[in-house]
Amino acid sequence: MVYLERLHERAMDRSSDPDVMARAFAEHYCKTFNENRAALGALYQEGSMLTFEGDKIQGAQAIVAKLASLPFQFHHIYTVDCQHYVPPQGGLLVSVSGVIQLAGENLRQECIQMFNLMPTLQGSFHVLNHIFRLFPLNYPSIPSELCLKSLSKRLEDSFSSSGFAVK
Amino acid sequence: MDPDGVARAFVEHYYRTFDGNRAALGGLYQEGSMLTFEGDKIQGAQSIVAKLTSLPFQQCLHHISTVDCQPSGPQGGMLVFVSGAIQLAGENHQLKFSQMFHLMPTPQGSFYVLNDIFRLNYA
């Protein structure tokens, strides 16, 4: 009986407003990232792709390894936008803007990411595509090239000094 | 051309058209295309072009910082994620933006925009 109730719940969830689903997914993702990063593995599959600051990673295992190495937390979400696209796959595109905070530092930085969510047979979603980018600091008074390099360098320095491997 | 090259070429063409001849963007959308512009949802090439040509500025220039792309599935679709800044004519500061395109192949061997999500970044 519990199993059937859960199926019904999931069916109802899937037929609910896509904006609500997208917002719920974004919040669930960020919360899981902050509290139990290894659990993110359940959201990715073999063919999933992540591009993190230009680095391309494929497959749930490699993606979770990359996510586990990142020394920041999601601080808050600004905007969540989504669009369906029609079958045969029936995917949901979600675009999220927000702020990350570097662990143990006062440094916060805006970030943007997009997800392409595919429905699973179990009535849930998995992440087929995921792209993550930081917005440069002090934009645009510093030329973007320099901005990105200096931010990457600062993050790199923070990463190494806190004992995390950069790559 | 490799996918990254295709994505880059598309993005440059899109913003060049936007900055130089906004009405011509209609050729890049179709009936089923969707645009979410700062939270407003618009569907179909005609309505999308009407929205873009009615924005409250005449001239603008897009500066692209990053372009990332990934294939979106067996249909040959491509997801393109752009970050950059828009300079409006007569304004000192630039507006940061991010934009997500979901491109689908056309029979002619080109791409059209099926999904488009645009956001300014105010913070």
Side-chain angles (χ1 to χ4, degrees):
Chain A
M1 280 311 282
V2 174
Y3 176 68
L4 285 174
E5 275 169 349
R6 287 209 189 115
L7 267 186
H8 178 72
E9 261 182 313
R10 279 198 286 256
M12 291 308 290
D13 282 343
R14 284 190 56 193
S15 65
S16 71
D17 186 353
D19 289 319
V20 171
M21 284 198 289
R23 176 45 82 146
F25 170 81
E27 288 173 358
H28 169 74
Y29 189 92
C30 292
K31 189 169 151 60
T32 310
F33 184 97
N34 289 349
E35 295 174 5
N36 183 11
R37 217 168 286 185
L40 290 174
L43 292 173
Y44 298 92
Q45 289 184 0
E46 196 55 46
S48 299
M49 288 165 275
L50 164 65
T51 307
F52 182 87
E53 281 290 286
D55 287 343
K56 300 183 193 206
I57 300 129
Q58 182 144 2
Q61 224 173 344
I63 288 172
V64 174
K66 176 67 179 181
L67 296 173
S69 74
L70 300 172
F72 61 75
Q73 299 255 292
F74 285 107
H75 190 262
H76 64 271
I77 295 170
Y78 284 140
T79 62
V80 181
D81 290 305
C82 76
Q83 289 179 7
H84 263 135
Y85 58 101
V86 289
Q89 292 125 296
L92 186 67
L93 295 165
V94 182
S95 186
V96 184
S97 73
V99 176
I100 56 151
Q101 174 146 6
L102 207 53
E105 302 235 350
N106 254 338
L107 182 65
R108 286 185 197 160
Q109 185 50 30
E110 298 153 294
C111 67
I112 46 170
Q113 48 188 331
M114 62 140 283
F115 301 89
N116 181 15
L117 306 180
M118 291 300 197
T120 65
L121 292 171
Q122 296 77 30
S124 175
F125 287 103
H126 88 269
V127 178
L128 176 60
N129 304 92
H130 183 185
I131 302 178
F132 178 99
R133 276 286 179 188
L134 293 164
F135 260 116
L137 288 169
N138 302 323
Y139 204 112
S141 49
I142 298 176
S144 35
E145 283 296 292
L146 283 176
C147 229
L148 285 169
K149 279 190 192 146
S150 77
L151 174 66
S152 296
K153 187 77 182 63
R154 287 173 67 177
L155 284 175
E156 217 176 291
D157 291 341
S158 294
F159 294 8
S160 352
S161 69
S162 51
F164 287 92
V166 173
K167 291 267 184 236
Chain B
M1 210 191 287
D2 69 300
D4 289 327
V6 170
R8 188 98 209 176
F10 171 83
V11 163
E12 285 170 2
H13 173 71
Y14 182 90
Y15 293 119
R16 210 170 27 238
T17 308
F18 194 110
D19 297 341
N21 183 12
R22 228 177 294 171
L25 288 171
L28 294 174
Y29 298 91
Q30 288 186 7
E31 195 54 48
S33 298
M34 288 168 272
L35 165 65
T36 306
F37 188 93
E38 280 290 281
D40 289 343
K41 296 181 196 208
I42 302 121
Q43 181 144 5
Q46 224 174 343
S47 306
I48 289 172
V49 174
K51 172 71 180 180
L52 296 176
T53 52
S54 73
L55 294 171
F57 51 85
Q58 290 306 313
Q59 274 200 296
C60 68
L61 193 59
H62 285 80
H63 301 281
I64 300 166
S65 298
T66 64
V67 180
D68 291 304
C69 76
Q70 288 179 3
S72 71
Q75 252 65 37
M78 197 186 312
L79 292 163
V80 183
F81 200 42
V82 181
S83 76
I86 305 178
Q87 176 114 41
L88 301 183
E91 302 265 337
N92 257 344
H93 60 275
Q94 297 178 341
L95 299 168
K96 296 183 283 184
F97 77 92
S98 68
Q99 190 155 11
M100 184 220 86
F101 298 99
H102 184 201
L103 307 180
M104 283 302 205
T106 66
Q108 296 78 30
S110 171
F111 284 96
Y112 77 95
V113 179
L114 176 59
N115 305 92
D116 181 349
I117 298 179
F118 176 91
R119 274 283 178 188
L120 291 168
N121 183 289
Y122 292 107

